Amino acid sequence: MYPPNFEYYAPKTVQEAIGLLDQHQGEAKVLAGGQSLIGMMKLRLAQPAALIDINRIPDLAYIREEDSSLVIGALTRTAELGRSDLVRARYPLLADAAGEIADPTVRNWGTVGGNVSHGDPGNDLPACMMALGAEFRVEGPKGARAVPARQFYQDSFVTVLQPNEVLTQVRIPQAVPGAGGAYSKMERKVGDFATAAVAVQLGLGKSGSIDLAGIGLTNVGPTAIFASAASEFLTGKTGTDADLRRAGDLAADASRPFPDNRGPVEFKKEMVRVWTRRTAARALARARGGK
Amino acid sequence: MAIDAADTPRTPGPVTTRTIQVTVNGVTHSSTVQNRMLLVSYLRERLRLTGTHIGCDTAHCGACTVLVDGVPVKSCNLLAVQVDGRQVQTVEGLASGGKLHPIQEAFHEEHGLQCGYCTPGMMMTSVALLARNPNPTEDEIRRGISGNLCRCTGYVNIVKAVQHAAAKTQTSVPGGH
Amino acid sequence: MAQPETVHGGIGQSILRKEDARFIRGKGNYVDDVDLPGMLFLDLVRSPYAHAKVTSIRKEKALAVPGVLAVITGADLAAAKLAWMPTLMSDTQMVLPTDEVMFQGQEVAGVVATDRYAAADGVAAVEVDYDPLPVIVDPFKALEPGAPVLRTDKGKKDNHIWHWEVGDKAATEKALKESAVVIKERFYIPRIHVSSIETCGCVAQVDAMGKLTVWMTTQAPHAIRTVFALVSGLPENQIRIISPDIGGGFGGKVPVYPGYVIAVVAALTTGQPVKWVEDRTGNLTSDSFARDYHIEAEMGATKDGKLTALRVKTLADHGYTDAAANPSKFPAGLFHIITGSYPFATAFVEVDAAYTNKPPGGIAYRCSFRVTEAAYTIERMVENMAHHLKMDPAEFRLKNFIPPEAFPFNSALGWTYDSGNYAGALKKAMAMIGYDDLRKEQAEKRRKGELMGIGISSFTEIVGAGPAKQFDILGIKMFDSAEVRIHPTGKVLARLGTKSQGQGHETTYAQILAEELGISSDNISIEEGDTDTAPYGLGTYASRSTPTSGAAAAMAARKIRAKAAKIAAQMLEVSPDDVEWKDHKFQVKGVPEKSKTMAEVAFAAYTTNPPEGQESGLEAVDYYNPPNLTFPFGSYICAVDIDKETGQVKVRRFVAVDDCGVIINPTIVDGQIHGGLTMGFAPAMMEEIPYDAEGNNRAGSFLEYLLPTAVETPKWETGKTTTPSPHHPFGAKGVGESATVGAPAAIVNAVLDALEPYGVTNIDIPLSAHKVWKAIHSKDAA
């Protein structure tokens, strides 16, 4: 219930934060919202020697469109993501997801950056970022690099983020006419991790067929999963019921769920199948101009 | 839960502390705290504001909910050092000049509490909910308080209390609570 | 109670609660709020293994942690003969192990430190070596010949704890054989946990005079005091147990937990106050589990649907010791209420208990001493029988209920039900939910292949333990008490032997006394929980407070009235025979304008010469030995819709009609029902503590032990009928647990009703989506 002690720093710039991380050689962790990290420290599952609190760094919390992208600062609270008029109007997938992470109180302090970089297969935003084709700006001692979300996650709690790097921004391709997305989370109760959750982002071409499709799966594998075969399948299709069903089948095939109190493997795969189909239908309806 | 008994615990290093300035219920405190001190411990043990309660280890129950800069947070899942320079409001700060806050009156009048343990957290969440959404539907209230668990009431009268407070606040003079 | 003039706050009024004043201000005084000078903190090292020999415990690293003052082990306690303690069922339980640990999460050592963070550091630094031993988690396997014996410390040769039976075995066998229809079903009711938002804890302090005071999360402070005296050898008048504000009890704060004993030992040895507050993981893995009953039930009926006989065989998993908080003559509690609302001519019940490598307990979670398990079984079987006979379940029950004129009713298993009107409650529930319309809608939906279900539960509860000839806990009879004193200025102070954990006693007892004394409830103060001042009582659990201490309060008030009447007669200058208590006043018969209020009499009791043969002052004590238990009842109807593809169940409506006899405060009763229904819904749908084959607890935190939020919890609809208890002083029965007892069967019956096309007769709770999905998809003929 109470963590061991640690050193604590509150740097004022990203460079300072990186310097401190570098100095501690893998023994320090970034503290953003801390809603996952502090929990692990209280149970003594994580025992960093130092915490680098980045909340004093200005200009790390924002949601805006620029350079054909939606950019979100890493310190943006997930509650703000859910309330943003811009996100609700043009990025409904993210608005859906922001309302499903943990519970409303945890969302007030947890951050977008934390949710995408913590590496828990139960975190909701990674699959969304995969579906959206997002990339993350990662800053370290050698400068900044852009890592596509689809390449960011390696294993449970293991990402390509190095111990001396900070994720500072999420960049998502800007919404264009014909874009629509949705996120569905099947959970046993509010606050639970998903039994299965699916993110679907679609882009319709002028002919009305699907030009762009991205499907991400939450908590049905050691990391969030980009369902590439399902996504490729939908590309070029018109989106009939049969198309959506087939996408569900392919997404289920891509999933690698573990059995737990939520259910056995067979059940979870079936849920991926069902919820992929249903979520794709919602994304399609939104892409076609509905709600 | 599977605990690995062979885990080597970290030997505690030199105690590391920090001096913070926190304004709690309008009063600014300067305190030296261990970096690891949870905000809930700071409030309960250092400031003796025991109205904020601990109910779990995993930030699910919400009994520890307080407002930080007006926003509900789970004080068991924040470090005291994280609120350096910030404003914190607890249940003890709801009443003003001896007069109860409408939310407190509403919980009382609607029998929205039984053992009282989840109540401070519920009220803090409700205060912020109504500040943002002064006329919520029942479903919006239920979603809004879904970060606060209650074992006694089954939530029915808690919802009524929030609705009562909403109605009371709207009929009061603008600029009031 | 048809009095033309009511007293403010009398029985039947929904007055606001007095105790709220401190809770809404955050000024409650819970155990963790107690702060004493020099107070130390106790934290516990817990076993990661379900069964192991503890080969060594090394304290050095822990003692080197700054702030840590002591590490207490079983060896330390054994020196004071405190390593083991008796349980409430006269079994034995470890405080700390000297040899083996018996369940994952068991307390292994205590660390005492200057603050709780240092105590946590100390716990992490204690080094314990374990030699794992074979684990038994299946009680059936535990009873197989050749199974490893768990309680060798007791000289046992097997894992069987006790066998208990009641009823007529031969007659039931015969009746079942002769029944035209017999159905059989097996139910497993898994372990759940009360999980009050406040965990358990205490502060133990020994003063300069050697008196031990313990602030404790306990529902039964006097019983604890006596147990402590017997176990520790300290004189009972040198022990004070204070049960302050309790953040939810539900039966989980009745047993004596090792943490309490270790804290007391630490206080005695350090000379300083010691606080212990368990964390949620300790709470979920080591204390107050409930249920864990494996039930096999058989029920017979005639071909036109009249119930004939009931036979039940149960295996009870008690963990490593029988520490259930049962009345001593009833190791399976009041499970034999299982004939329920129906007049079975014959029935037979047998229960066997087994040891396993799990925490001890069994009685908790609003169970009324195993009535949850019994009511679930009977109401599931009755519903199954109705479906089997293709009869409407409501009609089936109405055909079979014990009729109102049969009360007091002697059940086949030995209970005398005081009063009941089962058909009245069911019909009201049917009207409230629109039962016939729901059945029509269901027929429509079935044609379209949509899954909608309606389920009923018409339960009979049994509470108010209990009459001295049958009920005791560790030998202490289960009376309860009230001491009432009226001050010269007409204000009342009353103390009772029960202990509220949120039920509103400071308000409801005041209402009883207001009604009986004619004094406004505003002028009546209620105290409970301090054993130095409160009269002896057995505490609050199993919905016993209103039937026992509530009765005692009324009886004490009537003793006061008898005394006051003589004073009034003296003041009115008439003979006592000419005075009557009417309109909450003492009146001269036939001359109502000549009257005295109780307040006026109270003043006189202290300021005038008392009547001949009577003392000054105005107070009374009553220790109430109830003549019988009370039998609240109700009918609940639930409507659900099921998502066929995912197995997710949505409770669309839930109507609860309860009858708890005379109601003291309708709003408070509704609050108890709302909370009780939620604690019936949650085990039906999502709560469970599963153990894997190695004895690992798979729900040791709120990540996996799922308490419903306001989003999942249905919008409860409540109604009442009122059938007073004929033997209770004011006709009340008690209600705290009824809804938890009655709700699960209604929900499960609804889900199975929805799944009728699939021919499923049972799914064990909790009804998680994957179980419902499996039931649909393994038999889907579509």
Side-chain angles (χ1 to χ4, degrees), chain B residues 1 41 55 104 114-115 151, chain C residues 17 24 30 117 280 697:
Chain B
M1 148 192 109
S41 302
Q104 291 171 301
Q114 292 182 25
C115 80
R151 266 319 226 178
Chain C
R17 292 195 341 163
I24 57 176
Y30 303 91
Y117 286 70
R280 182 57 66 183
N697 180 325

Side-chain angles (χ1 to χ4, degrees), chain A:
Chain A
M1 175 68 201
Y2 300 108
N5 217 343
F6 45 83
E7 294 169 72
Y8 171 88
Y9 304 92
K12 299 279 191 352
T13 68
V14 174
Q15 289 315 306
E16 208 188 323
I18 290 167
L20 286 162
L21 287 169
D22 205 29
Q23 205 178 300
H24 281 85
Q25 300 189 319
E27 289 294 310
K29 291 283 286 174
V30 168
L31 176 64
Q35 295 304 283
S36 298
L37 179 61
I38 291 183
M40 290 177 75
M41 291 171 67
K42 284 162 65 178
L43 297 173
R44 302 200 175 205
L45 298 171
Q47 303 191 48
L51 287 188
I52 315 299
D53 183 347
I54 59 171
N55 286 274
R56 314 292 173 186
I57 301 173
D59 303 325
L60 275 188
Y62 50 83
I63 305 172
R64 57 178 180 258
E65 285 175 325
E66 67 186 27
D67 301 337
S68 307
S69 304
L70 172 73
V71 291
I72 305 172
L75 274 183
T76 305
R77 307 288 173 191
T78 47
E80 285 305 318
L81 190 68
R83 282 195 279 264
S84 155
D85 290 332
L86 172 59
V87 169
R88 288 154 77 95
R90 292 162 62 68
Y91 303 89
L93 189 165
L94 285 179
D96 283 354
E100 298 288 350
I101 296 167
D103 64 56
T105 314
V106 171
R107 294 200 282 274
N108 283 334
W109 207 252
T111 63
V112 171
N115 201 275
V116 300
S117 65
H118 182 62
D120 190 326
N123 290 137
D124 292 287
L125 290 182
C128 300
M129 299 307 172
M130 289 176 172
L132 287 162
E135 60 181 30
F136 305 140
R137 185 174 75 204
V138 168
E139 297 186 45
K142 302 202 188 101
R145 59 197 179 104
V147 182
R150 293 173 193 173
Q151 295 166 22
F152 188 77
Y153 305 94
Q154 296 175 314
D155 202 346
S156 294
F157 302 98
V158 181
T159 67
V160 302
L161 195 67
Q162 295 301 302
N164 56 6
E165 291 181 315
V166 183
L167 189 154
T168 53
Q169 184 190 81
V170 172
R171 177 177 288 269
I172 291 157
Q174 187 162 0
V176 295
Y183 187 71
S184 305
K185 179 173 182 177
M186 176 177 178
E187 55 182 356
R188 297 174 295 178
K189 56 165 270 195
V190 168
D192 194 16
F193 290 123
T195 299
V198 183
V200 179
Q201 180 70 19
L202 302 176
L204 301 181
K206 289 203 178 61
S207 63
S209 69
I210 300 168
D211 271 4
L212 205 65
I215 299 175
L217 310 175
T218 298
N219 214 28
V220 286
T223 69
I225 291 172
F226 178 63
S228 50
S231 306
E232 276 161 33
F233 170 80
L234 279 181
T235 311
K237 301 286 186 301
T238 50
T240 62
D241 284 347
D243 291 339
L244 303 186
R245 245 168 243 288
R246 183 74 187 126
D249 291 343
L250 291 167
D253 290 342
S255 69
R256 293 145 59 207
F258 33 87
D260 62 16
N261 291 342
R262 297 174 183 85
V265 171
E266 180 206 18
F267 173 71
K268 289 192 179 188
K269 275 185 168 289
E270 183 61 24
M271 293 307 102
V272 172
R273 187 190 323 278
V274 168
W275 286 103
T276 299
R277 195 195 81 234
R278 292 181 179 187
T279 312
R282 281 204 301 129
L284 194 57
R286 283 171 171 170
R288 286 175 181 159
K291 283 222 78 162

